[in-house]
Amino acid sequence: YTKNYIMGIGDESLINFEGLPIYSKVYKVQIDGYLNLPELGMVLAKGKTLQEIEKTLLDQYSDFIIKPKIELSVFNYRPVTVTINGEVNRPGLYKINFINFKNKEIKENNFLNFNEKKSTILNANNSSNNQTPPKLFDLIAISRGITPNANISEIEIIRKNSEINGGGKLKTKVNLIALLSEGNQEQNIDLLDGDHILIPKSDKLILNQLIDVNRSNLSPGEIEVFV
């Protein structure tokens, strides 16, 4: 979640105009995918990275501001909508919220006057630093765990690539066995909006894989048995 984060409807961005505190505040991507900004009006944000939006604003604000210095960061992330298919007990589409640890006083403390609230927002670290993105493990748990035939050593992730990086789709594989047996947290990837996860079927049951899974919280709490 860096400058390459792709903005979407519901994201809130903290835009800091150096030397212009009256413009510096949190702007939300509206239902039409645009940011409503001073002087410029509607600026398309949906589908663009923070880096792309920042460049656009620097170019356009140069008509109004001498040598503008503008910095964008995500203040509040929208929920991610992802799909998971294959060897899970409940495949489908899921919407997962970020875990938010930001100081609620920024939005909820009614004892602060407007100027104090604005100062608190602008002087605090942006809330994305206090938000934990959902992980692959979280999604598998929500989808009721994996089936006995799941091959968790070759989980496929398909992700939208930003236009600035060439567009199209990116595809990779992760190995949760490495996470369970070696503690390799890099395999428990952050989920991004629009991700598609496919858990393939294993041709044969791998003893070590089953042992690792059964020791973890990837396996469902209950199973059905037919006699």
Side-chain angles (χ1 to χ4, degrees):
Y1 291 85
T2 61
K3 292 292 185 182
N4 287 325
Y5 175 72
I6 300 175
M7 297 289 284
I9 296 169
D11 279 326
E12 295 179 359
S13 178
L14 175 59
I15 306 180
N16 184 33
F17 294 78
E18 186 175 310
L20 288 170
I22 193 172
Y23 287 172
S24 298
K25 63 179 182 178
V26 175
Y27 297 87
K28 186 173 183 177
V29 181
Q30 301 178 2
I31 192 68
D32 57 2
Y34 285 79
L35 293 167
N36 189 2
L37 300 176
E39 304 295 346
L40 300 182
M42 297 299 182
V43 175
L44 181 63
K46 180 183 176 183
K48 295 184 178 294
T49 64
L50 287 174
Q51 186 177 355
E52 289 173 313
I53 299 170
E54 198 170 272
K55 184 179 183 303
T56 297
L57 298 188
L58 287 171
D59 290 341
Q60 295 190 17
Y61 271 111
S62 62
D63 293 336
F64 304 94
I65 305 170
I66 299 173
K67 295 182 180 180
K69 293 184 179 179
I70 303 170
E71 185 176 356
L72 276 72
S73 59
V74 180
F75 183 78
N76 195 39
Y77 289 105
R78 71 189 187 275
V80 297
T81 301
V82 295
T83 54
I84 184 167
N85 286 312
E87 296 301 312
V88 289
N89 288 301
R90 195 176 180 184
L93 183 146
Y94 292 90
K95 180 177 285 189
I96 312 176
N97 291 316
F98 280 67
I99 300 173
N100 194 343
F101 298 103
K102 70 182 177 182
N103 188 343
K104 291 184 179 181
E105 286 185 352
I106 290 177
K107 284 190 173 182
E108 297 178 2
N109 192 339
N110 293 323
F111 294 99
L112 293 174
N113 63 38
F114 174 77
N115 290 328
E116 287 174 331
K117 285 182 182 180
K118 183 170 66 174
S119 176
T120 302
I121 291 172
L122 296 178
N123 291 327
N125 290 328
N126 69 74
S127 70
S128 64
N129 292 331
N130 297 316
Q131 289 180 303
T132 302
K135 303 272 189 179
L136 176 59
F137 228 78
D138 299 326
L139 177 60
I140 294 174
I142 292 172
S143 56
R144 304 283 180 87
I146 58 175
T147 72
N149 295 314
N151 179 3
I152 63 170
S153 65
E154 295 185 347
I155 298 177
E156 188 173 273
I157 315 293
I158 301 173
R159 174 171 293 173
K160 181 182 178 182
N161 191 24
S162 62
E163 294 297 328
I164 199 171
N165 289 321
K169 299 283 186 179
L170 298 175
K171 183 184 293 187
T172 191
K173 291 184 179 180
V174 298
N175 180 2
L176 285 191
I177 291 293
L179 170 64
L180 298 173
S181 61
E182 303 167 15
N184 184 357
Q185 290 291 333
E186 291 181 359
Q187 302 299 312
N188 190 22
I189 64 168
D190 295 340
L191 297 176
L192 294 181
D193 196 46
D195 280 356
H196 175 70
I197 289 84
L198 175 63
I199 300 183
K201 186 175 183 178
S202 178
D203 294 333
K204 58 182 178 180
L205 300 180
I206 303 172
L207 179 59
N208 290 337
Q209 174 174 287
L210 291 177
I211 291 173
D212 284 331
V213 171
N214 286 331
R215 287 174 177 169
S216 76
N217 56 356
L218 275 182
S219 56
E222 298 178 355
I223 61 173
E224 293 183 359
V225 178
F226 297 91
V227 177

